Amino acid sequence: MVRENSALLPFGKRAFYYVNGVRNMTENQSRILAISRGEMPSLTELAGLIAGYTEEDRVFAASLARETADRIFGRKIYFRGLIEFTNYCKNDCLYCGIRRSNRNAERYRMTEEEILNCCRWGYQAGFRTFVMQGGEDPYFTDERIVKIVSAIKQEFPDCAVTLSIGEKSRESYQRYREAGADRYLLRHETANPEHYAKLHPPELSLENRVRCLHDQLDLGFQTGCGMMVGSPFQTAEYLAEDLLFIKKLNPQMVGLGPFIPHHDTPFRDEKAGTVEDTLFLLSIVRLMLPRVLLPATTALGTILPGGRELGILAGANVVMPNISPSDVRKHYQLYDHKIGTADAPADSYQQLREAILSIGYQPVIERGDYPKEAES
Ligand code: SAM
């Protein structure tokens, strides 16, 4: 006799079955369970899992991942106010809509006062983390970044500041840290050097990217790495390498969203990553690193309406709504059809709050730091 497990799992599916009272798990589900116990599969096993998971396996992973996140964070979802303060970039990453050789991108940079005004609006709306993200814009020298970070920390001492401004020297990171920056987001993009070389121009290397991440961790930043899911040339083996890299690095944050093509890049005709793969990998990352701060990204919300909510149900516990002024956000087009580009900050924020409440989770007014081991 086969009887379904009584627990209703996300998306209305049931994840596993009892056969004569004994839970009957697939090999993939046993692997997923092993990951949740801290036992990492080999590269080949992980690649097999990524290439061969079924819808049931995905729902199984999501239910375990959500249970894990609920145990550590309760039903709290942390909000980060994302300020996309410049779209000038000296880099030429092949996937990115603000790459330097995109002559059609209309370039902008915000002033210090405009950035502070975003924080002022964000603070009264309930944000306690501000994420300054931008292209690698040489105008924003270390002096300018230090001045802005110091000004934010002085006016909002109870808030965390996250920087996401690319590859810098250790000395630069140290200066940002001394100015009060708390966190740094720098996706590693792919842990495989050959794959890295197919996504980036020759002057950029995985080696330097990884050096940056180690410097950030050494300097005491809460550090985030991550990758796009479904980027051109990506294979299940490369994703398995990413997971093993993430496990070993043990960062406090992981940024993971689908690749989406941009019409003015060399990857304009490539396929976007899938919702299913992104959700599955979010769940695996949550199980690998239970305490990790894991955003449900805007890119996930872009490929599927409600994608961010599914990301939360798959184990994410952070969202990063855009709080940049309406007139600039349409120019920060990393990929096509990015959501929220036509909205006012209050609208996109309010919609996301309501969406999160509607799935039974609680948007909270907190800095939302990486939890200490004892808290988890
Ligand atoms: N310059 C900083 C850096 O390199 O970390 C921050 C800005 S960069 C645009 C932020 C992230 O956007 C990248 O790490 C990349 O993963 C993501 N991104 C860029 N183009 C994308 C695309 N076409 N689809 C999905 N994500 C993309």
Side-chain angles (χ1 to χ4, degrees), residues 318-374:
V318 171
V319 287
M320 297 171 54
N322 195 340
I323 62 167
S324 314
S326 313
D327 56 331
V328 303
R329 44 171 79 191
K330 61 178 171 295
H331 301 306
Y332 199 82
Q333 286 289 354
L334 308 181
Y335 45 79
D336 289 338
H337 313 299
K338 187 171 164 221
I339 49 169
T341 46
D343 296 341
D347 295 342
S348 37
Y349 170 55
Q350 204 44 41
Q351 282 163 17
L352 190 57
R353 269 184 65 84
E354 282 162 17
I356 286 169
L357 286 166
S358 77
I359 56 165
Y361 283 81
Q362 188 60 45
V364 290
I365 302 181
E366 285 180 31
R367 272 173 58 115
D369 285 305
Y370 185 65
K372 296 194 179 75
E373 203 143 14

Side-chain angles (χ1 to χ4, degrees), residues 95-96 134 164 166 186-187 189 209 228 258-260 332 334-335:
Y95 45 82
C96 187
S164 178
L186 184 78
R187 289 183 175 180
E189 312 295 0
R209 200 89 179 162
M228 294 176 288
F259 161 75
I260 306 175
Y332 199 82
L334 308 181
Y335 45 79

